[in-house]
Amino acid sequence: MTTSVSKVYLLEMATGKAVEAELHDGVTEQQLEDWETKWFPVLFARQQQLVRTGVPLAGWSQSRQWSWRDKMARIECLLAYQTFCIVCECVTQGMIQIDMTKSARLDGQSGKPLVYIEYLEVAPWNRTELGQQAKFGGVGSILMRAAVEHSVNEEFHGRIGLHSLPQANDFYGNTCGMMDLGPDPDYENLRYFEMTPELARSFLDNGREP
Amino acid sequence: MAGKKTMTLNLTDAEMTVLEELSTKKDMSKTAVLRQALRLYQLVQMRAERGDKLFLESETTKEKAELMLL
């Protein structure tokens, strides 16, 4: 599999400095190995810590049961799906999988194609669970930016949509500026968010990168 | 993004009319509409080969009709 690579910058939270990273259009076996050998041990250790400290299940990472290997096998060779990842210090820092067969729901956009974000996950050390400081900031925002730019490139005019896990509602609604269409009874009552072409332009113009 | 190749496409008037209508309705170029159609066709074909069936459901009556794929 051939992937193209572009330069991006992450914010190293401990030093406040911008560090160079790579945005790859594609998730390869290397990312799946990172997920298994680098993400998993940290996720497992965090879960042990959550158990020890008596944090209720609702406070746990809601993406903990995701299997990226299964998710990638499901879309193999299909044109309808696309993936991106960010690599920094030779380690995968975040991954996103998008679906290009869905349509917008917002008034005025209804029926027009959008990029639907199936899954977006950042490496566990880049999250602030349990009050821990993230190693790198900006991973989620850059992956969102990649999705919006892909929507523009596919002539979807920047439209994107997603169902958000409760822990991520604030990120999609406030950080990314997406419209909140409320809980979707057909999708486990997860809140559905959508970005119009106007919001996408604003996001791309104001998108935060260190 | 992967490099792109160019091809000539021969369509009847009726087919071109439909393509133009879809292009307007979806706010996309004709090329983008055809690329989207290819994505959907491949996805449906893969699911059909796996033994899945494709149904269309009426939003008002909830009546379902199976779409036969050849």
Side-chain angles (χ1 to χ4, degrees), chain A residues 77 79 100 111 154-155, chain B residues 26-27 29 35-36 39 42:
Chain A
C77 299
L79 298 173
M100 289 174 282
E154 292 299 330
E155 300 187 28
Chain B
K26 300 293 178 183
D27 197 13
S29 68
R35 295 179 69 216
Q36 184 72 343
R39 285 184 197 116
Q42 186 204 27

Side-chain angles (χ1 to χ4, degrees), chain A residues 4 77-79 100-101 111-113 153-157 159, chain B residues 1 25-29 32 35-36 38-40 42-43 46:
Chain A
S4 70
C77 299
L78 288 173
L79 298 173
M100 289 174 282
T101 65
K112 291 181 178 167
N153 292 339
E154 292 299 330
E155 300 187 28
F156 298 176
H157 303 276
R159 286 182 216 97
Chain B
M1 182 179 286
K25 192 180 282 185
K26 300 293 178 183
D27 197 13
M28 302 159 83
S29 68
R35 295 179 69 216
Q36 184 72 343
L38 188 58
R39 285 184 197 116
L40 289 165
Q42 186 204 27
L43 183 64
M46 185 274 287

Side-chain angles (χ1 to χ4, degrees), chain A:
Chain A
M1 180 180 172
T2 307
T3 61
S4 70
V5 177
S6 53
K7 194 190 294 181
V8 292
Y9 289 91
L10 302 177
L11 181 65
E12 191 174 51
M13 303 305 280
T15 62
K17 289 182 180 168
V19 294
E20 197 173 306
E22 293 174 342
L23 174 68
H24 296 230
D25 75 339
V27 164
T28 66
E29 181 59 29
Q30 182 59 56
Q31 275 66 57
L32 299 180
E33 283 179 19
D34 282 352
W35 172 71
E36 284 166 342
T37 62
K38 297 188 170 77
W39 293 29
F40 236 66
V42 179
L43 283 170
F44 183 73
R46 291 228 173 143
Q47 283 191 24
Q48 300 289 88
Q49 196 180 346
L50 289 166
V51 171
R52 279 197 303 275
T53 51
V55 174
L57 210 58
W60 293 28
S61 167
Q62 289 155 340
S63 61
R64 66 185 183 281
Q65 289 165 335
W66 288 2
S67 165
W68 278 93
R69 194 166 283 286
D70 290 348
K71 292 181 192 318
M72 292 307 295
R74 190 176 60 90
I75 64 165
E76 194 176 8
C77 299
L78 288 173
L79 298 173
Y81 300 90
Q82 171 72 36
T83 52
F84 297 93
C85 70
I86 294 175
V87 176
C88 185
E89 297 178 347
C90 300
V91 177
T92 306
Q93 304 294 335
M95 298 186 275
I96 187 171
Q97 185 179 113
I98 61 178
D99 175 348
M100 289 174 282
T101 65
K102 301 254 191 313
S103 299
R105 302 181 184 186
L106 277 169
D107 285 346
Q109 304 294 327
S110 181
K112 291 181 178 167
L114 57 64
V115 160
Y116 179 80
I117 296 171
E118 292 261 15
Y119 308 103
L120 186 159
E121 189 171 23
V122 301
W125 52 83
N126 293 328
R127 304 177 202 168
T128 53
E129 294 160 348
L130 297 168
Q132 297 177 57
Q133 188 181 47
K135 184 175 184 190
F136 294 119
V139 177
S141 296
I142 294 172
L143 290 171
M144 285 295 286
R145 189 183 182 88
V148 174
E149 286 177 345
H150 194 74
S151 171
V152 171
N153 292 339
E154 292 299 330
E155 300 187 28
F156 298 176
H157 303 276
R159 286 182 216 97
I160 62 169
L162 58 88
H163 287 89
S164 170
L165 292 173
Q167 288 166 344
N169 287 340
D170 181 62
F171 173 71
Y172 294 121
N174 296 321
T175 305
C176 301
M178 298 178 78
M179 299 273 288
D180 182 356
L181 279 69
D184 184 347
D186 294 329
Y187 204 97
E188 298 173 15
N189 271 327
L190 294 180
R191 301 189 83 83
Y192 178 73
F193 289 83
E194 206 166 281
M195 193 178 273
T196 62
E198 293 72 28
L199 290 173
R201 268 194 295 278
S202 172
F203 177 75
L204 291 177
D205 289 344
N206 305 317
R208 295 185 312 159
E209 272 193 59

